[in-house]
Structures are given as C-alpha cells and as structure tokens.
C-alpha cells in the first residue's frame, strides 16, 4: 500500500513537473512573439532548470538566434543557433529511443530541421537546405502516419510546399533526388487549415498564410485580416507589423502603411536592423508616391546607410535620382542613375532600376514622363478619380507607345472604380494590334480586359483574355501580375 502511494505521488509530481515545464515554454513563446527576447530567454533558461533533458527550451533558444541572424546577418547568432539546435536534437534523439512513436518528439525533430533548412537557405547553402528540408518533411510525414488529425504537422509542410515552388531550374535535380516538391495551392490549403485549427502553429500559420495570400493570390483583404488578428495579440512584433505594411501598400492604403512602418522603426530592436532599414525604404516609397520628393529622398538615403545588403539598393538609388531631378539637382540625378545599376540583379525591382536608369541617362525626363509618374502616384494613393481627371486634362502629342501607356493608366484607374465599360472602350481597340504585340504592357492590358469582362459577367470573354494575359506575362514584374491573375482565375472558376 505504501509503495503504491509513493508511486502515485511520484506520478503526480512527474505530471505536474511536465505541465509546469510546458506552461513555462508557452510563456516564453508568447514573449518571443511580442519581441521581448530578453525575457523569453530568461524563461527558456528557467525551463532548462526544470527539465534539462527535454529538447523544447533548447529548440526555442535556437529559434531566437535564427531570428536574430535573419534580422541582422550577424555570424555570431548563426553559430549560437546551431549550438542550441544540436543540443535540442541530441535531447530529442535520446528520448525517441524510449518513445519512437511519440508525435510530440517527432514533431520537435521536424521543427529542428525546419529551422536548419531556413538557416542554410539564408546562408546560401542550398544543398544543406534541401537535405534539412527533406529530414523535416519526413518527420512530419511520420507524425501524420501516426495521427492524420494532427493539424500542426501540416504547418511545416505548407511552408515547404510554398518555398520549394520558387526553386530555380538549376536546382530541379535536387528536388528530384530529395523527393521534395513545391505546390502553392497545397501550401495554401495546409496553412489555411493550421490558421484555423492549429494549436501550436496557429500564430505562425496566419503569418505565413498572409504571405501566400499577398504574393500568390493578391488577396489583400484576407492577408490583412490574418495579420491584424495576430498583431492584436502581439502588437510589438516588428515582423508582423512590417508584413502588414507590405499588404497595405498593395491595397493603396499608404496612410495606414506609414503608421505600421513608423511602429516598426519605434520598436527598433537591435537584432532586426535590416527590417528597420527596409522600413525606411518603404517610407521612401510612400513619400515618393505622394510627390513629397525631399522626404522620400531622406528616407531612401537612410535605407542606403543602414542596409547590410545590396538588395533593393538599385531601386533606392533610382528613386533618389528621380527625386533629385524633380528637386532640380542635375549632377546628383546623373550620379544616382549610375549607382542604380549596381543593385541585386536577382531582384525584380533592381533589374527594373538598372534598365530604366540606363534608358534615361542620356534622355532626361520630360513633362510627359512627369505626367506618367503623377498618374501612377495617384493610383498608388487610391486617388483614382484624381488620376482620371489629371490624365483627361493632359493635352500632349503622344507617340503610339506613349498613347498606349496613357490609356493603360486611364483604364487602370477606371478599373479600380469598377467602370468596366470604360475600361473596355479604352483598351479593346488595341487587341491583336502590332502596337500591342510589341508592347511591354501587353499582359497588363489583357488582364484589365479579362477583369472588366468578368465584372460585367461576360465570363467566356473574360476567360479568353485571362488566358492571353497568362501566356503573355513575361515582364519584369510578372509575379505581381500573376498573383492578380491567380485571384481572377479563382473568381472565374466560381462562375462556371
């Protein structure tokens, strides 16, 4: 009897200790999500004292330093990440020897290798990233074999399905060898499931889902809703705030985007200096779109001084050049047009900056160029009627390419106001013309025609122009247009 009582008491102590450990980990995770990293580290270290043989505290300490590395590119954080990651893996493997079918431990191993894949990808170590991804996926597949209803296991699978869909052709062989594959629609399905039903994964699922909704579907309202739901709980998370600013800019809500970027900068976490830098870049974009060229110039210059990479330096310097042009500084205009050619040519904005800066270096802007920028800025500010009024009052002799661009801008503004008949009247005359076939705006015009025909419920014609838009979408910013086409495609499928 006494022995039985002792065993019961030991069991109660063990259960209590485990629950206390899990609650401690949960408290630490919440501090991480709200960017209280120092407090989170104290909590995770206290969890180590409670259960030194459990892997979770080591894993979340490693995650902190991975976030720091991604936010500031400091090599020290990369090394500390792997130190904690190795310790987490060792603890996990030891426990799995006694519990080889533990969903919790298998999921932890999956998460450990998921972070390693992210770290290797950020470091540019592609093969290491592939094999870490393969390991992570295999652990989560085992979890789902044991329990198909384990919703959290779908989170990592969703993230990998999305990330691997962008793997360039040069690495397709690695996908084949590893047995991995990308699939944006599956990613969307898995992340949506986790965002609603997930327990441990719900917050991050909503964050990643918002990225898919922004980049793949141009579904700005849903992306905004997902981000708002997690920002309400974690208002000091600079990553969430920054992602919301990106969505709001695409929604043409520049005032609200500005508020979010100011919030990011006010958080000013030293381990996320690159996000601070990018926030100044986006503020520069916002002021540029408002024709506030002095303020835009200032923010682009701050971005250039803070950024630790060449990413977006091309477009930043191009914008600075244009600001100097409008502010009357010809020498600085030329200087920054030259600098605009030196960005990261793996990034579409920097490719655009190089092409445009070379094009206009010996052909300075004229009044028509200013008109086009003004019209684009009206659209970016959600001032669609102002754009239409401005262009309608423009009295200039236009070449055929300029006339097409003029009508495209006019049609775009009308499209946002759902004046579909007007859009059709502006653009239909270009269909099958030599001028359109030679134009870089061909896919955009087909898209607006498809969107307008869908708006007036001429679905067969809408599908026809949608198909033409997809086939001709080869421009620098084809990914952004493709996202809009993907969203329109879903609308057209509903009309069948």
């Amino acid at each position: 009897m006494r022995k039985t009582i002792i065993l019961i008491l030991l069991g109660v102590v063990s259960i209590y200790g485990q629950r206390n450990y899990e609650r401690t980990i949960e408290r630490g995770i919440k501090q991480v999500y709200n960017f209280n990293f120092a407090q989170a580290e104290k909590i995770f270290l206290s969890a180590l004292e409670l259960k030194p043989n459990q892997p979770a505290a080591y894993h979340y300490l490693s995650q902190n330093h991975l976030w720091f590395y991604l936010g500031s590119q400091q090599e020290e954080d990369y090394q500390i990440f792997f130190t904690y990651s190795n310790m987490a893996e060792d603890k996990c493997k030891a426990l799995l020897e006694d519990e080889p079918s533990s969903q919790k431990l298998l999921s932890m191993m999956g998460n450990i290798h998921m972070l390693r894949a992210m770290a290797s990808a950020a470091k540019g170590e592609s093969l290491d990233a592939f094999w870490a991804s393969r390991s992570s996926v295999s652990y989560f597949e085992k979890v789902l074999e044991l329990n198909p209803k384990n919703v959290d296991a779908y989170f990592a699978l969703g993230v990998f399905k999305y990330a691997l869909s962008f793997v360039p052709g040069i690495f397709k062989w690695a996908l084949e060898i590893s047995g991995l594959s990308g699939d944006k629609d599956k990613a969307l399905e898995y992340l949506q499931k986790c965002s609603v039903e997930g327990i441990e994964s719900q917050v991050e699922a909503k964050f990643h889902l918002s990225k898919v909704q922004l980049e793949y579907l141009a579904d700005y309202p849903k992306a905004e809703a997902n981000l708002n739901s997690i920002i309400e709980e974690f208002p000091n998370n600079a990553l969430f705030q920054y992602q919301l600013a990106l969505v709001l800019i695409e929604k043409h809500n520049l005032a609200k985007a500005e508020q979010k970027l100011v919030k990011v900068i006010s958080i000013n976490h030293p381990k996320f200096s690159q996000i601070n830098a990018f926030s100044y870049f986006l503020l520069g974009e916002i002021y540029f779109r408002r024709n506030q060229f002095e303020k835009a110039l200032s923010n682009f210059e701050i971005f250039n001084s803070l950024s630790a990479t060449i990413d977006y330096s091309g477009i930043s310097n191009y914008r600075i050049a244009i600001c100097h042009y409008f502010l009357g500084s010809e020498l600085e205009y030329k200087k920054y047009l030259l600098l605009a050619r030196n960005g990261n040519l793996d990034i579409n904005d920097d490719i655009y900056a190089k092409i445009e800066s070379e094009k206009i270096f010996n052909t300075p802007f004229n009044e028509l160029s200013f008109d086009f920028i003004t019209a684009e800025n009206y659209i970016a500010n959600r001032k669609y009627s102002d754009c239409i009024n401005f262009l309608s009052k423009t009295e200039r002799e236009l070449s055929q390419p300029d006339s097409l661009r003029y009508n495209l801008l006019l049609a775009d503004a009308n499209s946002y106001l759902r004046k579909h008949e007007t859009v059709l009247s502006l653009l239909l005359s270009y269909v099958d013309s030599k001028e359109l076939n030679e134009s870089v705006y061909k896919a955009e015009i087909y898209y607006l025609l498809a969107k307008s025909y869908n708006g007036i419920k001429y679905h067969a014609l809408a599908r026809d122009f949608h198909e033409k838009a997809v086939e001709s979408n080869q421009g620098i910013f084809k990914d952004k247009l493709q996202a809009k086409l993907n969203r329109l495609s879903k609308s057209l499928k509903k009309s069948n």
Side-chain angles (χ1 to χ4, degrees), residues 193-462:
K193 188 177 183 69
C194 291
S195 73
V196 176
E197 303 173 32
I199 299 171
E200 295 177 0
S201 64
Q202 190 174 81
V203 172
E204 288 192 62
K206 286 184 176 182
F207 173 71
H208 285 276
L209 178 58
S210 74
K211 293 185 68 178
V212 178
Q213 289 166 333
L214 170 65
E215 299 168 358
Y216 176 54
L217 284 181
D219 194 339
Y220 312 132
K222 285 184 180 178
E224 182 181 7
N226 275 309
L227 288 165
N228 278 330
S229 69
I230 54 179
I231 287 172
E232 186 176 351
E233 188 175 0
F234 305 109
N236 290 320
N237 189 305
L239 290 170
F240 298 167
Q241 297 279 357
Y242 179 83
Q243 185 66 22
L244 181 54
L246 291 176
V247 173
L248 291 167
I249 288 172
E250 293 302 323
K251 277 190 74 177
H252 299 165
N253 191 341
L254 301 189
K256 198 170 179 182
E258 181 183 6
Q259 293 173 8
K260 299 303 173 184
L261 294 168
V262 169
K263 174 70 174 178
V264 173
I265 292 167
S266 71
I267 293 169
N268 194 31
H269 196 286
K271 290 293 188 178
F272 292 85
S273 56
Q274 193 59 45
I275 290 176
N276 293 341
F278 285 140
S279 295
Y280 280 108
F281 170 80
L282 291 179
L283 284 173
E285 285 283 282
I286 287 171
Y287 294 127
F288 184 89
R289 293 304 180 188
R290 291 174 178 163
N291 295 329
Q292 295 175 290
F293 297 118
E294 286 187 6
K295 293 182 77 171
L297 180 63
S298 173
N299 280 276
F300 286 129
E301 286 176 337
I302 294 172
F303 163 73
N304 284 352
S305 67
L306 292 179
S307 182
T309 76
I310 64 169
D311 296 357
Y312 299 97
S313 62
I315 190 65
S316 175
N317 286 320
Y318 177 71
R319 295 281 193 245
I320 289 174
I322 303 304
C323 288
H324 278 301
Y325 178 84
F326 290 128
L327 293 171
S329 179
E330 179 73 14
L331 188 61
E332 292 296 291
Y333 167 70
K334 291 281 190 177
K335 169 187 169 183
Y336 281 96
L337 283 180
L338 290 172
L339 292 173
R341 305 174 189 185
N342 301 320
N344 182 350
L345 297 183
D346 290 326
I347 293 175
N348 292 335
D349 287 278
D350 284 349
I351 296 171
Y352 170 82
K354 183 178 189 300
I355 292 171
E356 290 299 308
S357 62
E358 290 173 347
K359 186 190 300 182
I360 66 174
F361 187 79
N362 293 315
T363 310
F365 268 24
N366 53 31
E367 290 186 13
L368 181 60
S369 301
F370 180 78
D371 288 347
F372 285 150
I373 287 179
T374 302
E376 289 171 350
N377 288 354
Y378 275 131
I379 291 172
N381 276 281
R382 206 183 274 179
K383 295 181 177 180
Y384 310 122
S385 295
D386 289 343
C387 176
I388 293 166
N389 291 334
F390 172 78
L391 288 173
S392 298
K393 293 175 182 176
T394 301
E395 296 181 2
R396 304 191 191 285
E397 290 292 328
L398 299 175
S399 65
Q400 281 194 335
D402 287 337
S403 175
L404 189 149
R405 186 179 178 188
Y406 170 93
N407 283 317
L408 173 61
L409 287 166
L410 202 52
D412 196 22
N414 277 285
S415 180
Y416 281 109
L417 295 174
R418 299 185 181 181
K419 295 182 178 180
H420 303 303
E421 298 285 0
T422 304
V423 173
L424 296 173
S425 69
L426 285 164
L427 300 181
L428 276 175
S429 62
Y430 292 106
V431 173
D432 296 328
S433 68
K434 180 182 177 182
E435 182 182 352
L436 181 60
N437 287 330
E438 296 175 352
S439 173
V440 295
Y441 304 112
K442 182 177 180 180
E444 291 177 62
I445 286 177
Y446 283 144
Y447 162 70
L448 287 177
L449 288 169
K451 182 181 174 185
S452 293
Y453 274 124
N454 188 53
I456 60 174
K457 304 189 186 305
Y458 280 40
H459 300 304
L461 284 168

Side-chain angles (χ1 to χ4, degrees), residues 73-117:
Q73 302 291 299
Q74 295 296 313
E75 182 66 23
E76 179 185 14
D77 288 309
Y78 187 81
Q79 298 302 327
I80 295 172
F81 158 72
F82 268 105
T83 298
Y84 279 124
S85 179
N86 289 335
M87 294 170 78
E89 184 180 33
D90 290 343
K91 301 297 180 184
C92 218
K93 282 182 175 178
L95 294 172
L96 275 168
E97 288 181 5
D98 295 325
E99 300 179 76
S101 296
S102 168
Q103 293 177 49
K104 190 168 188 177
L105 292 171
L106 290 169
S107 293
M108 179 58 70
M109 286 293 283
N111 282 320
I112 289 167
H113 286 274
M114 179 183 180
L115 294 190
R116 290 182 183 180

Side-chain angles (χ1 to χ4, degrees), residues 142-187:
K142 287 179 185 177
V143 172
L144 290 170
E145 285 176 13
L146 292 165
N147 179 11
K149 294 183 179 179
N150 189 320
V151 176
D152 289 317
Y154 285 99
F155 166 68
L157 299 181
V159 171
F160 283 124
K161 285 289 184 187
Y162 188 65
L164 292 170
S165 68
F166 292 99
V167 171
I170 192 173
F171 289 117
K172 292 297 182 185
W173 62 270
L175 286 181
E176 292 175 7
I177 291 174
S178 63
L180 297 170
S181 63
D183 187 328
K184 293 184 178 73
D185 287 314
K186 274 292 179 188

